[in-house]
Amino acid sequence: MITNQELANIIFPDVKTTLEDLEKRYPLRQLPAGAEVTRFAPSPTGFLHTGSLFTSMICRKVATQTHGVFYVRLEDTDTKREIQGSGEQLLDQLSLFNVTPDEGYLGDHQKGNYGPYVQSERADIYRIAIKHLIEIGRAYPCFCSPEELNEIRTKQEAAKLVPGYYGQFAKCRFLTNDEKATRILAGQPFVVRYKSNGNHARKIRVTDLVRGTFEIAENDQDVVIYKSDGLPTYHFAHVVDDHFMRTTTVIRGEEWIPSLPIHLDLFQAMEWQPPFYAHLPVIQKLDENGNKRKLSKRLDSEAAVSYFLQDGYPSEALIMYLMTIANSNFEEWIFQQKFDRMEDFAFTFSKMSLDGALFDLGKLNFFAREILSKKNKDEIYAMVTTYAKVYQPKLLEVVYRDPNYFKEIMNIEREKENPRKDYEKFGNLLDSISFFYDDFYEDIIKEKLPFSDRFSPELISSVLSKIKEELSLNQDEQSWFGQMKEIGESLRFAPNGKLFKNNPDQYNGSVADIAEMLRITLTGKKNSPNLYYVMKVLGKARCDKRIESVISSF
Ligand code: GLU
């Protein structure tokens, strides 16, 4: 009769390395006490999900805080889902958010002593571990066809039993080693299944860093650990990799909680100490009917990190926003820090809320405005050109026409105590500032200008002419506005809104009305940055020309 050892040799004749050899190849890490080793383990599906950025940001933070290690492992064993080149893209995108790994798969190369960090390059390692499980009788080849598996499922459904390959339903468990060997030697295709000793009627107590201790049904499924393509399944690869890469803390999405009993069962069979687990809440969104649902790759543009990059959000804003989801005390803390030195924040799993956070674009916009308002004009210039080079060639062309002019535009009410918070992203920047450029301005005034119909074109013309002749820009804002009031009064516009309101028969309107006429004339819009500074940036000659062309268009 064929022994387990012989069966293992028939399945993996060329595997000579042992688990002991691997233990030596990947020694325990020499790190300070309390240091945590975390990892981000993306599948190369061509897409960095906002939830994955959230996870990897926390992995990075935990490793940094504890003087540990954060590494990236590419989980590419599901070859059907793989998109070529997307691993590099993931790394590039992470680095834009300052989530940079200390070791692991780094896009164009790998770094570190615990590799390879790409699962498809680790086939040998998994085979060593699987051979071991077969030798100790805790794994076996399974020859069931999809039809046979279907048949089992149908029986279970009819009998209202837990579905799956377990216990008495695990047909191939009951084959003798001789039968298994004969079929393998005859070239029958097979997978390898784990042989569980569990019972789903029993509960195990598990501890999660986010959720604390809870009970969950024990695993009894003989899950597939080795596929017919020679690669392991996620369940087994996770156990082997996190053991030999010496991960201390597995941080992953809560969708993995149902699989946790399988993973703990596998760790036990391998006689390895499992890592700590932190299952993070998923980021959700309210649907049209007011129900919460997971941010969906298919339905929600906010599900892809690339959406925020394309729209030109400052990356710090998204990270800051995600940290408000991560820790309930962060928001108050970052307000106190005036939105600076985020790296000093002390993250803790215990302050993570359990109900999946709702994605709040308004809050992201708020952070983005705060962050951009604190940048000086040179920083803004650098950020805008970096963005425009990749995403908006038209914006880049406009900025490059005259970098100093662009900086002056962006510097309106910036670099001061209470800077204006009018920009949140660069995707719509060109729209907001295009009026500063004559070619765009000419297009804008081809449309009907939004002057109030309370005023005749004649009255608007006389206000504009007088402003053109008299209003000086060589004075400070206060006296400039004083002069506007004088000009207004000479044409029967009250120096303030209240006076006009109380005496509507005596006035045409108030100074606010003439400021609006001027604003619309110079910018084509009812809203713009501070008019005094807009005029200073445009310069007297350009302002005069614009006034003339609006008057002549009436
Ligand atoms: N590759 C898995 C995923 O894409 C990783 C899960 C984990 O972090 O263990 O979800």
Side-chain angles (χ1 to χ4, degrees), residues 481 485 489 493-497 499 507 509-512:
F481 194 59
K485 285 184 189 163
E489 281 190 275
F493 283 86
N496 62 63
L499 193 60
Y507 292 105
S510 78
V511 65

Side-chain angles (χ1 to χ4, degrees), residues 20-220:
E20 289 72 53
D21 298 329
L22 291 179
E23 291 293 333
K24 284 194 206 112
R25 193 190 299 170
Y26 303 114
L28 294 180
R29 292 172 182 265
Q30 299 298 315
L31 291 171
E36 294 188 51
V37 180
T38 63
R39 87 296 189 275
F40 173 49
S43 304
T45 54
F47 183 83
L48 182 60
H49 195 286
T50 304
S52 301
L53 177 63
F54 178 61
T55 307
S56 50
M57 168 192 87
I58 294 174
C59 291
R60 175 65 277 175
K61 182 80 184 160
V62 168
T64 306
Q65 259 178 211
T66 60
H67 308 287
V69 175
F70 165 55
Y71 71 88
V72 171
R73 177 171 75 227
L74 198 66
E75 305 216 323
D76 60 345
T77 57
D78 188 352
T79 39
K80 287 195 276 315
R81 288 170 65 212
E82 178 163 1
I83 293 186
Q84 282 302 318
S86 63
E88 275 103 335
Q89 199 187 319
L90 281 172
L91 265 285
D92 287 348
Q93 291 195 350
L94 283 183
S95 72
L96 294 175
F97 293 89
N98 266 335
V99 177
T100 40
D102 303 309
E103 72 178 44
Y105 170 77
L106 302 181
D108 53 356
H109 68 290
Q110 298 183 34
K111 176 179 160 200
N113 298 328
Y114 292 84
Y117 296 89
V118 174
Q119 285 185 333
S120 59
E121 295 171 21
R122 300 172 60 78
D124 291 355
I125 297 172
Y126 307 121
R127 286 150 60 92
I128 297 163
I130 290 167
K131 185 171 187 184
H132 166 78
L133 282 182
I134 297 173
E135 281 168 354
I136 63 167
R138 294 303 303 273
Y140 60 91
C142 167
F143 307 91
C144 286
S145 63
E147 293 73 38
E148 282 170 290
L149 295 175
N150 255 335
E151 211 176 287
I152 297 174
R153 196 171 318 122
T154 314
K155 269 193 208 152
Q156 288 165 332
E157 274 166 17
K160 295 203 164 36
L161 292 169
V162 176
Y165 204 86
Y166 63 96
Q168 52 165 324
F169 298 104
K171 272 168 73 173
C172 293
R173 260 189 188 211
F174 304 102
L175 299 175
T176 63
N177 279 352
D178 291 47
E179 279 170 298
K180 291 173 197 157
T182 313
R183 291 197 190 194
I184 288 166
L185 293 171
Q188 228 188 7
F190 67 94
V191 296
V192 176
R193 285 185 185 270
Y194 168 62
K195 185 174 172 195
S196 175
N197 292 337
N199 174 352
H200 64 246
R202 284 200 300 253
K203 298 258 189 251
I204 50 167
R205 283 177 80 73
V206 295
T207 300
D208 178 272
L209 297 176
V210 180
R211 275 143 236 272
T213 302
F214 58 96
E215 288 197 336
I216 189 165
E218 192 171 77
N219 175 57
D220 61 357

Side-chain angles (χ1 to χ4, degrees), residues 292-347:
K292 284 185 183 178
R293 62 167 167 76
K294 194 178 160 184
L295 261 193
S296 139
K297 180 171 163 174
R298 205 168 40 82
L299 302 173
D300 309 314
S301 40
E302 313 92 298
V305 166
S306 55
Y307 163 77
F308 301 100
L309 296 172
Q310 276 159 17
D311 224 10
Y313 276 97
S315 54
E316 280 164 271
L318 186 55
I319 288 290
M320 216 172 254
Y321 169 62
L322 291 176
M323 198 49 101
T324 64
I325 300 185
N327 262 188
S328 50
N329 54 330
F330 173 74
E331 199 166 333
E332 200 185 321
W333 183 89
I334 197 78
F335 266 77
Q336 282 163 3
Q337 309 304 307
K338 302 200 166 54
F339 308 95
D340 199 14
R341 298 206 59 78
M342 199 184 145
E343 58 278 16
D344 293 344
F345 177 70
F347 167 85

Side-chain angles (χ1 to χ4, degrees), residues 299-398:
L299 302 173
D300 309 314
S301 40
E302 313 92 298
V305 166
S306 55
Y307 163 77
F308 301 100
L309 296 172
Q310 276 159 17
D311 224 10
Y313 276 97
S315 54
E316 280 164 271
L318 186 55
I319 288 290
M320 216 172 254
Y321 169 62
L322 291 176
M323 198 49 101
T324 64
I325 300 185
N327 262 188
S328 50
N329 54 330
F330 173 74
E331 199 166 333
E332 200 185 321
W333 183 89
I334 197 78
F335 266 77
Q336 282 163 3
Q337 309 304 307
K338 302 200 166 54
F339 308 95
D340 199 14
R341 298 206 59 78
M342 199 184 145
E343 58 278 16
D344 293 344
F345 177 70
F347 167 85
T348 42
F349 284 113
S350 57
K351 293 224 170 65
M352 185 166 257
S353 117
L354 289 187
D355 5 299
L358 282 181
F359 195 86
D360 182 347
L361 200 60
K363 202 179 265 185
L364 169 67
N365 286 336
F366 168 81
F367 282 122
R369 279 194 292 273
E370 289 292 338
I371 285 168
L372 288 182
S373 74
K374 291 188 172 48
K375 306 281 178 204
N376 66 35
K377 61 178 190 287
D378 295 311
E379 288 166 323
I380 290 281
Y381 176 78
M383 290 172 88
V384 170
T385 48
T386 307
Y387 163 75
K389 270 179 201 157
V390 183
Y391 297 105
Q392 260 197 54
K394 182 72 198 165
L395 174 61
L396 191 68
E397 181 265 306
V398 171

